[in-house]
Amino acid sequence: MSWLNFLQDPNTRWILLATTLLGLSSGVIGCFAYLRKQSLIGDALSHAALPGVCLVFIITGSKSILLFLTGALIAGILATLLIGYITRHTRISQDAALGITLSFFFGIGIVLLTQIQHSDAGNQSGLDKFLFGQAASMIQDDVITMIVISAILVSVCALFFKEFKLLSFDPGFAKGIGLPVVILDQLIMLLIVIAVVVGLQAVGVVLMAALLITPAVAARYWTEKLHVMIMISGMFGVLSGVMGTLLSTVVKNMPTGPLIVLSATILFITSMLFAPKRGLVARALLRASVKNKIRVKETGKELHCE
């Protein structure tokens, strides 16, 4: 069966469009998280979504995707507020605050999930699949939701590009010229929370952090300019979504979410090795060239002395 045959399936087309949009929005917003040395933020927020989803199920007894996303969004916002409070009002570093928040929320989530699995509610089947991703279950309404949210995320990033750029590279200067640093910081956090929540259904709690950060890290190898990095990162996110979805369609019984993350990892490894200036191969060739020039110069000096 050819690729076109697979694409004739409406469900495959919806999943492909959804994962493509998810990769694009994650790649764009992930650049700011990476440059602000908040690579763990996606991990913390995706794990923070777990208790939100479990609490929604315990309270409502329903497996409504919309309710799950609402619970995940509320839990994610609470996590960002906790991270911000710890960072601003204690001497604990941001990395430590992220680690503490991640562990705290995920611990609560595991306790609640275990309670659900041992409860009399016979409706919990499928909850774990939502938490670890089930792209195949996405329908037209889910894709439309992703289109709207992805458009909002990318538009907000474009609208506040100068402010986010200044906040990423020199927050002290941004504060000095009167920018509302705290509000902008929370806005970036909110955008990351939304991206993570939207990606939960496709990739899952555990792997969403990788899709947020890996394209951004890979894009950093190719350029020194932020706007170019954001475009490359978005493109890598799109490629990851397309590659992972098509592979899961061709190979039977292969989950879409992990394949999307593995595709992003392949792009990262390729960038790390073969990027023109920052890649390992380019650096090795440059070192070899410098050593060769030094050797030729030293040989010339020796011949001149003789």
Side-chain angles (χ1 to χ4, degrees):
M1 186 177 290
S2 68
W3 295 100
L4 292 177
N5 292 119
F6 286 113
L7 295 178
Q8 288 176 356
D9 180 11
N11 191 47
T12 302
R13 289 203 301 269
W14 287 122
I15 295 172
L16 184 61
L17 181 57
T19 53
T20 299
L21 293 170
L22 174 63
L24 173 65
S25 55
S26 299
V28 170
I29 192 63
C31 288
F32 295 106
Y34 172 64
L35 291 175
R36 298 174 74 229
K37 303 185 187 304
Q38 293 179 331
S39 298
L40 273 175
I41 189 69
D43 212 13
L45 297 181
S46 58
H47 284 75
L50 182 57
V53 172
C54 292
L55 277 174
V56 165
F57 178 78
I58 291 173
I59 294 171
T60 66
S62 168
K63 289 191 294 184
S64 166
I65 297 300
L66 182 60
L67 290 175
F68 282 164
L69 294 182
T70 303
L73 180 62
I74 294 172
I77 292 173
L78 290 176
T80 63
L81 294 175
L82 180 60
I83 292 167
Y85 180 84
I86 293 175
T87 305
R88 285 193 295 271
H89 298 282
T90 70
R91 294 185 177 181
I92 297 174
S93 66
Q94 192 170 53
D95 282 348
L98 289 170
I100 292 169
T101 306
L102 184 156
S103 305
F104 174 66
F105 275 84
F106 196 60
I108 294 176
I110 291 297
V111 170
L112 294 175
L113 186 61
T114 304
Q115 181 65 28
I116 291 171
Q117 289 173 339
H118 290 85
S119 68
D120 294 331
N123 197 30
Q124 71 269 28
S125 175
L127 187 62
D128 55 340
K129 290 181 180 178
F130 173 80
L131 297 174
F132 295 102
Q134 50 175 175
S137 67
M138 287 190 291
I139 58 177
Q140 182 178 351
D141 290 343
D142 299 327
V143 177
I144 293 173
T145 303
M146 281 192 172
I147 291 173
V148 174
I149 294 178
S150 298
I152 293 173
L153 288 175
V154 175
S155 299
V156 172
C157 288
L159 188 64
F160 290 93
F161 175 76
K162 289 183 179 178
E163 288 80 2
F164 288 174
K165 180 180 180 181
L166 197 54
L167 196 63
S168 300
F169 290 105
D170 196 344
F173 180 72
K175 188 176 182 179
I177 63 174
L179 287 180
V181 173
V182 175
I183 295 176
L184 289 172
D185 185 67
Q186 289 302 319
L187 178 59
I188 293 178
M189 287 283 211
L190 179 61
L191 296 178
I192 295 172
V193 169
I194 294 172
V196 167
V197 169
V198 171
L200 288 180
Q201 190 182 357
V203 184
V205 168
V206 179
L207 297 176
M208 187 54 212
L211 189 59
L212 194 68
I213 296 300
T214 307
V217 179
R220 184 68 181 91
Y221 277 95
W222 295 89
T223 182
E224 302 287 342
K225 298 179 179 178
L226 178 58
H227 67 282
V228 179
M229 177 185 169
I230 290 174
M231 288 190 283
I232 295 175
S233 179
M235 183 185 67
F236 281 167
V238 169
L239 286 175
S240 302
V242 172
M243 290 165 60
T245 303
L246 292 180
L247 282 173
S248 68
T249 305
V250 174
V251 184
K252 291 183 178 179
N253 301 321
M254 292 299 289
T256 306
L259 286 177
I260 291 174
V261 173
L262 288 176
S263 300
T265 306
I266 291 172
L267 291 173
F268 162 70
I269 294 173
T270 304
S271 302
M272 183 179 65
L273 290 175
F274 302 111
K277 291 183 180 179
R278 300 168 65 93
L280 295 180
V281 173
R283 289 186 175 184
L285 291 175
L286 179 61
R287 281 197 296 270
S289 175
V290 171
K291 286 182 179 178
N292 187 48
K293 288 181 180 177
I294 294 174
R295 189 182 303 114
V296 170
K297 188 177 291 185
E298 290 178 347
T299 303
K301 286 182 179 178
E302 290 175 359
L303 291 174
H304 181 73
C305 292
E306 290 175 359

